[in-house]
Amino acid sequence: MKVNEIIDKLHLERVSDAGNTESDVSGCFACDLLSLAMSSVEKGNIWITVQTNVNILAIASLTEASCIIVANSMSISDAVIDKAKEEKICLLRSDNGVYELCNMIGDII
């Protein structure tokens, strides 16, 4: 399944879809501990978190995550959004919590 399809099926907000939304999704990882995410997110994974600081972009880039979904409608600063666009990282947001998002993604991929 492609990132675009997941965006549509889960009604995700495109905060920055500057990344490749036509890329394949290989799985999903949910974690807010940045050091654990850095060592556990695999290439092509969706990363679900409530963290919104600029470090999430570095981790997504390093791990080659397909996108980041920020759960619980967390606020994301303009500086992070601008940096996501600059780095071509697909940054999405959802009203749903982490658990709900994991279940919904598990049902469709």
Side-chain angles (χ1 to χ4, degrees), residues 6 10-11 37 44-45 47 51 61 77:
I6 291 172
L10 301 184
H11 309 288
N45 278 178
W47 177 26
Q51 293 285 345
S61 180
S77 73

Side-chain angles (χ1 to χ4, degrees), residues 15-16 52-57 75-87 91:
V15 178
S16 165
T52 61
N53 64 60
V54 73
N55 294 332
I56 64 173
L57 305 176
S75 177
I76 305 169
S77 73
D78 290 340
V80 171
I81 294 168
D82 292 343
K83 185 71 171 173
K85 290 175 182 175
E86 178 185 320
E87 297 294 324
L91 183 60

Side-chain angles (χ1 to χ4, degrees), residues 18-97:
N20 182 6
T21 58
E22 288 299 317
S23 64
D24 289 316
V25 171
S26 62
C28 178
F29 185 78
C31 180
D32 297 323
L33 185 60
L34 300 182
S35 59
L36 181 58
M38 190 181 330
S39 65
S40 301
V41 174
E42 297 178 2
K43 182 178 181 177
N45 278 178
I46 295 170
W47 177 26
I48 302 171
T49 186
V50 295
Q51 293 285 345
T52 61
N53 64 60
V54 73
N55 294 332
I56 64 173
L57 305 176
I59 292 168
S61 180
L62 177 72
T63 61
E64 299 181 60
S66 62
C67 64
I68 302 169
I69 302 175
V70 175
N72 297 97
S73 297
M74 299 298 290
S75 177
I76 305 169
S77 73
D78 290 340
V80 171
I81 294 168
D82 292 343
K83 185 71 171 173
K85 290 175 182 175
E86 178 185 320
E87 297 294 324
K88 296 185 175 25
I89 295 172
C90 183
L91 183 60
L92 308 166
R93 184 168 33 206
S94 175
D95 294 336
N96 295 300

